[in-house]
């Protein structure tokens, strides 16, 4: 299943503040339950501009999550997020693989 992750986090490094607002097409590599109602999802795609500690907003089949999800881990080809199922959007996310 394809998802679109959009970065929109403030990044402060070396006294400079930057704002990133890019869209990335991503594919769900894995989505594993790690605790009650908590999942670890790995998304692959071009992740070169995304940084750990930033937030991504996930757009799924016309449903737009209103809360950002923090980037847990990343490399040049994947981003890992950890999320808790608390509403319609994250409920839909838990069935993605």
């Amino acid at each position: 299943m394809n998802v679109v992750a959009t970065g929109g986090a403030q990044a402060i490094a070396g006294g400079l503040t930057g704002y990133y607002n890019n869209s990335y097409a991503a594919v769900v590599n894995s989505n594993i339950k790690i605790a009650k109602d908590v999942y670890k999802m790995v998304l692959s795609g071009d992740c070169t501009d995304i940084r750990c500690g930033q937030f991504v907003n996930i757009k799924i089949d016309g449903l737009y999550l209103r809360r950002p999800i923090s980037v847990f881990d990343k490399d040049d080809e994947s981003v890992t997020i950890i999320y808790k199922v608390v509403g319609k959007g994250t409920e839909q996310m838990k069935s993605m693989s």
Side-chain angles (χ1 to χ4, degrees):
M1 178 175 284
N2 289 325
V3 298
V4 176
T6 59
Q10 287 281 9
I12 301 172
L16 300 175
T17 302
Y19 187 80
Y20 302 97
N21 193 11
N22 301 315
S23 293
Y24 304 92
V27 176
V28 177
N29 283 352
S30 65
N31 194 20
I32 302 166
K33 185 174 184 176
I34 59 174
K36 183 179 190 279
D37 296 328
V38 179
Y39 290 79
K40 176 181 169 182
M41 179 183 282
V42 178
L43 303 166
S44 66
D46 178 13
C47 304
T48 54
D49 292 335
I50 299 173
R51 306 283 182 255
C52 289
Q54 288 184 326
F55 295 88
V56 293
N57 296 300
I58 308 291
K59 184 177 180 181
I60 309 164
D61 297 333
L63 180 65
Y64 188 79
L65 300 181
R66 299 183 189 273
R67 292 190 176 256
I69 299 173
S70 179
V71 175
F72 173 73
D73 194 17
K74 65 100 41 194
D75 58 33
D76 286 344
E77 297 176 2
S78 68
V79 168
T80 302
I81 60 173
I82 295 179
Y83 64 94
K84 182 173 184 175
V85 177
V86 293
K88 291 179 185 178
T90 49
E91 181 70 33
Q92 188 174 346
M93 284 175 62
K94 80 176 189 180
S95 64
M96 298 172 72
S97 58

